[in-house]
Amino acid sequence: MTPPWHQCRVDGSPWSGVQQVRTESERHFGRHWHDTFGIGVLDEGGQRSASGRGEVDAHAGDVLACNPGEVHDGRPLGGRPRRWRMVHVEHSLLADAAGRDDIELTQPVIRDPQLQRALRVLLGRLDAWQAGLAGTDLDLLACEEALAGVLGRLVQAHASVAPRAPD
């Protein structure tokens, strides 16, 4: 019997505490957790997973999210491989964006076109950086702006705490 097909690649980013992970897989991932926030886009296929919020289904175009330490699993829907890209972010980066340490993402599957677009921009900028096509200060600023856009949208619309008002 042939094992389920699986391909995964971890790439760095211009910042400490941020990584991009690309996965295409037929595998069923057993229960596990990460020590970072994970936010990404399911590009192709579908996935069912148990999460800290119960069992959920995600389909192509959905945003996937998990909190540090949140136990989850994942298996393909319909027996077909699924493909997704995630950005893993250290807790301190999202906490700094919120101005609070007690932040948590509220849903494992998010249907938010604005967040999805922002994530796709960030992922594209990270791809360009990884390929060596984003070497100027302006390129790095655009990449940082894309990260700030994603973190800002998460804090604004999909986190358990509202950002603090400036003092």
Side-chain angles (χ1 to χ4, degrees):
M1 183 171 161
T2 305
W5 189 81
H6 176 79
Q7 182 177 2
C8 184
R9 188 174 103 196
V10 178
D11 290 326
S13 76
W15 319 283
S16 174
V18 179
Q19 293 180 319
Q20 179 181 197
V21 179
R22 306 160 183 274
T23 309
E24 187 168 355
S25 184
E26 295 174 323
R27 271 190 197 164
H28 176 164
F29 291 93
R31 292 183 179 258
H32 65 283
W33 59 274
H34 307 275
D35 60 356
T36 58
F37 285 101
I39 184 76
V41 176
L42 186 59
D43 289 318
E44 190 175 297
Q47 173 170 283
R48 175 164 291 152
S49 61
S51 75
R53 307 256 193 274
E55 191 165 273
V56 295
D57 288 352
H59 303 277
D62 287 344
V63 173
L64 307 172
C66 67
N67 292 296
E70 185 174 15
V71 177
H72 59 283
D73 67 3
R75 57 200 171 281
L77 285 175
R80 295 183 30 228
R82 71 264 196 226
R83 182 171 48 89
W84 67 97
R85 295 173 292 160
M86 299 290 290
V87 177
H88 287 270
V89 178
E90 295 283 333
H91 179 270
S92 61
L93 292 174
L94 193 57
D96 287 349
R100 308 180 64 123
D101 194 49
D102 59 340
I103 187 161
E104 182 175 279
L105 302 178
T106 59
Q107 301 170 352
V109 177
I110 301 170
R111 293 179 176 100
D112 177 341
Q114 183 180 346
L115 178 58
Q116 186 209 78
R117 280 190 302 276
L119 264 167
R120 289 189 188 279
V121 167
L122 174 59
L123 291 162
R125 298 227 184 263
L126 288 172
D127 287 346
W129 181 83
Q130 191 66 35
L133 303 174
T136 70
D137 288 345
L138 191 56
D139 292 329
L140 291 175
L141 183 60
C143 202
E144 191 164 323
E145 180 181 45
L147 177 63
V150 168
L151 297 181
R153 181 67 184 162
L154 282 172
V155 168
Q156 176 189 42
H158 303 288
S160 61
V161 296
R164 284 193 181 137
D167 294 330

